[in-house]
Structure formats: structure tokens, C-alpha cells
Amino acid sequence: MSDKKPMSLTMRIVIGMLLGIVIGALIQFTLADNAFVKEYIVEGLFLVGGKIFVNSLKMLVVPLVFISLICGTCSLSDPSKLGRLGGKSILLYLSTTAIAITLAISLALVVSPGVTDGEPLTSEATFDAKQAPSLSQVLINIVPSNPIEAMAQGNMLQIILFALLLGVAISLSGESGKRVASLFNDLNEVVMKLVVILMNLAPYGVFFLMAKLFSEVSVTTIFSLGKYFLVVLFALGIHALITYPLLLKLLTGLNPVTFIKKMRDAALFAFSTASSNATIPVTLETATQKLGVNNNVASFTVPLGATINMDGTAIMQGVATVFIAQVFGVELGITDYLMVILTATLASVGTAGVPGVGLIMLAMVLQQVGLPVEGIALIIGVDRLLDMTRTAVNVTGDSMVTLIVGKSEKEVDVDTFNNPAAGKTTETL
Ligand code: ASP
């Protein structure tokens, strides 16, 4: 038997990702016109492999959120804690989003990505704006009229509410409640095991997703939108590597470098799937097993964050608003920018973390300040790559708030947090 240490999951995912990028780019540059490669490799193997991977993650989301949230709620010794947890998390989620978009607008105003002295930017692409939900609709929609339908549609806020109520009822039901709670605890163990098993497929899944994307992504579009692209990336970088560490240090005293290191797997999953929702199983595993946050906090804050917290998306919206205003020569005043901050922050509550939803929210923000929604067509070409990056930031934000709330409730095991080996997945199938 060899005593070589198995390669860590992160390493395997990174290798899959790099291989995918290289092979995808090679196909784009050398075999783009080959009908066989296009039909059977790119639209065949890569597409099917990538979709199977994303679906296998999504498959776990509803059962995992439902089961772990019930476990979390029934293990709360004091039900009034629920209200406190909710209040703190929502406040933190909204404030970090507002900070993110303010940072993005300020940066974009300094760099002026939409002011060009060369050719004016035009685009053939069109954008069909979908209606974003109104605030009253968002509130009504939190209460499911049929929990099974909520689960079938993957409506996260409705599932969260139903699981919380059921959890509270279980904890108030004496002996019967104890029996049901112990069943859910066992189910939770089993589903978490399934998460770990499926995470082992990630290197292959990530390879397929990257190979498909890079065999199609247009390099010329990226160059023509270079300034916009770079400002968004830069703002995302500052938020993830400066704002989050500062907040974490200030509010918990925990080591931000340890936090960023432990976020690697979840960030990689978020990057390759471009969906905070699909990443919930990995974020939850990271929060509980690696960051040491008790499941009774994480099972609530992680799915809630995946739904209402989108700092990375808000950053894209801030930069995009300034960019589109500049391209169309519209002057925006300070009240307009305040409006943008408010709308983008609130819009993130009503829209779920799935790929591309940021553009729908952007349509709402643009309308609010009277900018042409067609401006979105300008940036759509590079949105997929930015979507991936901002989703990684969204998920990092969810985990940071989870840690802060957990620490304030004394529900973080600091030894697990400080242990670099905690929760490492080296198991192979
Ligand atoms: N894909 C992002 C997420 O899932 C949302 C977006 O920015 O479009 O968090």
C-alpha cells in the first residue's frame, strides 16, 4: 500500500479548472469550425458533464436546507434566539451589500470606464428585461401557501420559513418532538455525507464547465469592455480581500487569513457554477466543518445569505450603472446614486442566487434612475465571467456574516476555526 497522502480536493478542483480552461481555449483557437468537435465534444460531452455536475449539487439544496434548518432550530435552547439571529443576519447582509455598492460606484466614478476617446461602444446584443418583483410581492411570497410546491420550485425563503416554523413546533412538542428531532439529526448526517461524496465529482464537473465556457467565450468582447471588466474585478477583489477581512477582524477578532484560506473550496464551487444556491451544500459544509460555526446558526444564515446577500452582484451593478450612464452621456447626481444603492440593496433580497440574476436586478436599478435598460446589452458579453467571480464573492460574504453572527452568539468553535486540517475533504470515491 502506498502511503502517499491523497491530493486535497481543492488541488484536484484547481487542476480540473486549469485543464478545462486550456482545453477550451485550444478548441476555440484551433478547432472552432470543426463540426464534430462542436456537436459531440462542446455541445455533447462538455455540456452534459457540466450540467450533470451542477444538477447533482442542486439536487442536495432543498433536502439539505430543509433538514439542517429543522435540526438547527430544534437544537436552539431558547426560541427567542431565532429572532435575534434573524435580525443580526439581515442587518449585516444588507449593510455589507450597501458597503459593496458604495465602493463600486466610487471606484467607477474615479476610473470612468464608460468614457472613451475612441470609437463609441455599440452592441448588437439585445436585452429583454424581465420584471423584478415588487417589495409587497416579496413580502407576500415569503409565506408558502403550499410547502411542497415551495420545495418543488426551490423557493428558498419559503422553505426557510416553513423549516423554521416546523423546527420551533418540534422543539415545543415534548417526547414526540424529541423523536422527530432525532430522526432529522440522523437524516442530516446522511445528507452531509452525500454532500462530501458528491463534492468528489467536482474536479470533473469543473473541468467540463470551464472547457465549455472557454471554447466559446469571445476574447474580443472582453478586450472591448476591458475597462469595465477590470473595474468590476478590482472592486470585487477589494471587497473580498480588504472589506471582509477588516470586518471580520473588527467584529470577531478571528484571523482573516485563516478565513480566506478556508473559503477556497466554496469559492471555487461558486466560481464554476455561478450560483450561490447550487453552492449552498458546500458553503454549509465549510461553515460548519471548517469554520467551526454551530449548525444551529449556519443552517439558518447560509441559505438566507444565498438568497438575500449578493455583495458581488451589487458591485457589478454599481460599476455597470456608472458605465452605462457614461456611455449614454447621462449625468447622475448624488440622489441618483443614493437611489441606486437603496434599490440594489433591496433588490438583492427578492432575487435568488442563480446564474445571471444580477442582470435582472440591474434592469430594475437602471429603470429607477431613468437609464436605458438596453444599456445592459453592452455588458452582457462579459457577464458570464463576471457572474462567476461575483458569485464567489457572494458566497464568501455569506460565510463571513455566518461567522460574525455565530461568534456573537458564542456558537463558533474557535479550535476548529484555527485548525488548518479541520473538515478537509480528501476522501475519494
Ligand atoms: N450568480 C449570482 C449568485 O448566484 C447572482 C448574480 O450575480 O447573477 O450569487
Side-chain angles (χ1 to χ4, degrees):
M1 230 173 88
S2 118
D3 47 52
K4 245 178 64 190
K5 269 213 320 211
M7 203 189 279
S8 77
L9 179 69
T10 316
M11 201 57 212
R12 284 183 278 145
I13 298 179
V14 170
I15 293 176
M17 185 177 272
L18 293 178
L19 272 179
I21 294 178
V22 172
I23 291 183
L26 275 178
I27 290 182
Q28 175 169 179
F29 293 120
T30 58
L31 293 166
D33 302 325
N34 186 313
F36 176 84
V37 172
K38 192 162 175 21
E39 200 176 328
Y40 293 103
I41 307 288
V42 177
E43 296 299 332
L45 183 69
F46 294 170
L47 178 93
V48 174
K51 285 234 184 279
I52 288 183
F53 167 60
V54 175
N55 279 0
S56 70
L57 282 175
K58 286 190 182 161
M59 168 178 89
L60 297 175
V61 173
V62 172
L64 183 64
V65 169
F66 183 65
I67 295 170
S68 69
L69 199 49
I70 288 183
C71 291
T73 323
C74 26
S75 68
L76 280 180
S77 42
D78 160 20
S80 70
K81 198 167 162 176
L82 258 186
R84 239 183 16 242
L85 276 183
K88 280 187 201 168
S89 340
I90 293 174
L91 187 73
L92 278 165
Y93 280 141
L94 294 186
S95 344
T96 50
T97 307
I99 296 176
I101 187 161
T102 312
L103 167 83
I105 292 178
S106 320
L107 254 175
L109 285 174
V110 173
V111 181
S112 297
V115 181
T116 46
D117 23 282
E119 290 285 295
L121 278 167
T122 47
S123 170
E124 306 280 281
T126 51
F127 181 76
D128 193 13
K130 288 202 196 77
Q131 209 47 46
S134 68
L135 188 59
S136 50
Q137 207 51 47
V138 170
L139 290 177
I140 296 172
N141 279 348
I142 295 179
V143 187
S145 58
N146 177 347
I148 306 292
E149 190 184 327
M151 289 187 200
Q153 293 175 343
N155 185 323
M156 219 35 78
L157 289 182
Q158 296 191 348
I159 300 174
I160 292 177
L161 186 80
F162 182 60
L164 283 180
L165 293 177
L166 207 59
V168 171
I170 292 173
S171 66
L172 297 176
S173 301
E175 279 311 308
S176 325
K178 277 201 187 113
R179 285 194 297 272
V180 180
S182 104
L183 170 70
F184 273 104
N185 278 325
D186 288 348
L187 281 175
N188 198 31
E189 285 284 313
V190 175
V191 182
M192 278 315 251
K193 187 76 195 166
L194 192 53
V195 172
V196 174
I197 294 174
L198 288 179
M199 274 170 76
N200 278 290
L201 293 178
Y204 310 99
V206 169
F207 167 80
F208 291 131
L209 288 175
M210 292 298 127
K212 168 131 192 341
L213 184 70
F214 279 83
S215 64
E216 289 168 338
V217 72
S218 155
V219 182
T220 36
T221 322
I222 297 181
F223 276 120
S224 70
L225 286 168
K227 248 178 158 182
Y228 163 76
F229 189 75
L230 290 179
V231 177
V232 178
L233 279 191
F234 188 62
L236 288 172
I238 295 192
H239 197 62
L241 302 174
I242 298 180
T243 316
Y244 287 157
L246 272 179
L247 281 175
L248 190 70
K249 187 79 201 161
L250 277 175
L251 299 177
T252 66
L254 293 169
N255 185 344
V257 180
T258 311
F259 167 68
I260 297 286
K261 275 193 189 150
K262 293 195 166 202
M263 281 311 297
R264 270 187 306 215
D265 281 351
L268 281 173
F269 271 82
F271 182 81
S272 25
T273 58
S275 167
S276 307
N277 264 3
T279 312
I280 288 177
V282 188
T283 320
L284 200 53
E285 210 246 0
T286 304
T288 51
Q289 312 295 320
K290 293 188 183 159
L291 302 175
V293 184
N294 193 322
N295 184 50
N296 64 27
V297 172
S299 64
F300 172 64
T301 53
V302 167
L304 184 69
T307 316
I308 74 165
N309 182 51
M310 287 182 207
D311 296 357
T313 307
I315 286 178
M316 175 281 285
Q317 291 174 358
V319 180
T321 311
V322 176
F323 176 75
I324 291 169
Q326 287 172 345
V327 171
F328 285 87
V330 181
E331 281 281 331
L332 293 181
I334 182 86
T335 29
D336 294 317
Y337 286 120
L338 288 177
M339 204 57 190
V340 171
I341 297 175
L342 190 70
T343 323
T345 308
L346 292 180
S348 65
V349 180
T351 34
V354 290
V357 79
L359 290 185
I360 299 171
M361 289 154 64
L362 179 61
M364 186 168 158
V365 172
L366 294 178
Q367 264 162 2
Q368 199 68 40
V369 287
L371 282 170
V373 173
E374 307 80 67
I376 294 182
L378 287 176
I379 55 169
I380 220 167
V382 289
D383 198 64
R384 178 68 192 187
L385 279 180
L386 291 178
D387 192 3
M388 293 157 68
T389 321
R390 66 184 184 245
T391 308
V393 174
N394 290 345
V395 164
T396 310
D398 301 342
S399 309
M400 188 209 52
V401 169
T402 297
L403 253 182
I404 297 178
V405 174
K407 190 82 192 338
S408 75
E409 292 289 328
K410 302 197 175 40
E411 297 284 7
V412 174
D413 178 358
V414 180
D415 289 339
T416 306
F417 179 86
N418 287 327
N419 175 3
K424 273 229 167 100
T425 313
T426 46
E427 244 175 76
T428 36
L429 288 176

